[in-house]
């Protein structure tokens, strides 16, 4: 499986500010995804990061709030804009593996965000 | 009804025992199924893919029942290191580029 890193690993931010989270993979991957895991909850897909085109957002998530970049096949960023305490969560990027079942996904270590 | 449902537990099981938990899914068109393991304050890690014929990996056995729309995970001879939250994941397609839907997880604690 690919080695995935995320920066920052954690941050505490003030309401109304924005934070950009980086996801770096050690090999080229076609599919990259961004998830959110709120306290005590399971993972919810925010969007699929598409290389060379706009990200595909899931219902309930919009580009103005969560702009995503995917400049190449090894890197993506997620920005959490105009943050509120409700955005406190763990944000994880994932990549799709190339095993027998193509939608096996492997996750980065996550970014733990606390908004005050 | 939730797309993927799991008993949240916690399951408190003595070391060496066998434990099993199920996960039900609502979309009968679901094609791919996985069990992920998530340790406290860590990212989810793929434990097993679940194949139609069922599959075994060491002490872990996964089964799929399409008629009743559930998958199961059996852990034999449980170890302290098996303590974690186990996430059931389904997706509608085998062809990649499909949304993974996660259950809320079942928390397992192995007691010495």
């Amino acid at each position: 499986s690919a080695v995935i890193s995320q920066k920052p690993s954690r941050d505490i931010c003030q309401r109304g500010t924005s934070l950009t989270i980086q996801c770096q993979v050690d090999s080229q991957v076609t599919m990259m995804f961004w998830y959110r895991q709120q306290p005590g909850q399971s993972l919810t897909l925010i969007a699929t990061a598409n290389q060379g085109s706009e990200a595909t957002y899931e219902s309930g998530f919009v580009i103005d709030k969560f702009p995503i970049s995917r400049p190449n096949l090894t890197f993506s960023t997620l920005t959490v804009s105009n943050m509120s305490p409700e955005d406190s969560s763990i944000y994880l990027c994932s990549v799709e593996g190339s095993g027998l079942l193509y939608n096996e996904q492997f996750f980065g270590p996550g970014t733990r965000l606390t908004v005050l | 009804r939730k797309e993927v449902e799991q008993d949240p537990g916690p399951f408190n099981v003595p070391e060496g025992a066998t434990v099993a938990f199920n996960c039900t899914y609502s979309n009968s068109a679901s094609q791919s199924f996985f069990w992920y393991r998530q340790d406290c304050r860590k990212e989810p890690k793929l434990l097993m893919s679940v194949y139609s014929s069922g599959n075994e990996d060491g002490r872990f056995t996964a089964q799929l029942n399409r008629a009743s729309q559930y998958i199961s995970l059996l852990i034999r001879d449980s170890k302290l290191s098996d303590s974690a939250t186990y996430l059931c994941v389904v997706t509608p397609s085998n062809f990649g580029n499909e949304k993974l839907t996660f259950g809320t997880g079942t928390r397992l604690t192995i007691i010495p």
Side-chain angles (χ1 to χ4, degrees):
Chain A
S1 60
V3 176
I4 308 166
S5 60
Q6 285 185 233
K7 290 182 181 179
S9 59
R10 59 176 62 230
D11 208 341
I12 301 173
C13 301
Q14 294 295 325
R15 181 195 300 262
T17 63
S18 297
L19 175 71
T20 296
I21 302 167
Q22 299 179 5
C23 178
Q24 180 76 53
V25 190
D26 69 342
S27 58
Q28 293 187 340
V29 293
T30 304
M31 305 303 298
M32 291 182 76
F33 307 89
W34 286 99
Y35 287 82
R36 179 173 75 182
Q37 187 172 27
Q38 294 182 303
Q41 305 295 316
S42 192
L43 284 78
T44 301
L45 180 64
I46 297 172
T48 302
N50 302 310
Q51 196 268 329
S53 64
E54 198 169 277
T56 305
Y57 289 84
E58 295 298 307
S59 175
F61 298 96
V62 296
I63 188 170
D64 290 346
K65 176 66 177 177
F66 296 102
I68 287 171
S69 78
R70 179 87 192 273
N72 56 52
L73 293 176
T74 63
F75 186 78
S76 177
T77 67
L78 169 75
T79 299
V80 186
S81 303
N82 188 26
M83 288 183 285
S84 67
E86 292 71 34
D87 295 320
S88 297
S89 186
I90 300 172
Y91 292 85
L92 301 113
C93 68
S94 75
V95 304
E96 193 167 87
S98 56
L100 183 64
L101 292 176
Y102 292 102
N103 30 13
E104 296 172 338
Q105 288 185 20
F106 301 93
F107 288 84
T111 296
R112 185 177 296 273
L113 171 62
T114 302
V115 183
L116 302 177
Chain B
R1 183 183 174 188
K2 290 182 180 177
E3 290 185 70
V4 180
E5 292 201 65
Q6 295 182 250
D7 182 344
F11 285 60
N12 299 315
V13 174
E15 189 176 8
T18 296
V19 60
F21 21 86
N22 290 342
C23 161
T24 60
Y25 59 95
S26 61
N27 183 356
S28 59
S30 298
Q31 292 291 333
S32 298
F33 309 89
F34 308 93
W35 283 103
Y36 278 75
R37 168 196 171 123
Q38 187 170 27
D39 293 288
C40 187
R41 305 178 80 84
K42 297 286 189 181
E43 74 275 19
K45 293 187 176 177
L46 180 65
L47 178 66
M48 300 177 74
S49 302
V50 186
Y51 303 129
S52 295
S53 56
N55 47 307
E56 186 174 310
D57 183 3
R59 297 181 294 107
F60 297 84
T61 301
Q63 296 282 349
L64 167 63
N65 185 317
R66 286 193 183 274
S68 300
Q69 293 183 208
Y70 75 85
I71 66 173
S72 63
L73 179 67
L74 178 80
I75 306 174
R76 289 181 299 277
D77 187 24
S78 53
K79 312 290 185 191
L80 296 177
S81 57
D82 294 334
S83 297
T85 296
Y86 290 84
L87 301 167
C88 170
V89 182
V90 306
T91 190
S93 167
N94 284 331
F95 302 109
N97 193 18
E98 294 287 351
K99 173 183 173 181
L100 297 186
T101 302
F102 284 78
T104 52
T106 297
R107 185 183 296 180
L108 173 65
T109 301
I110 305 301
I111 303 166

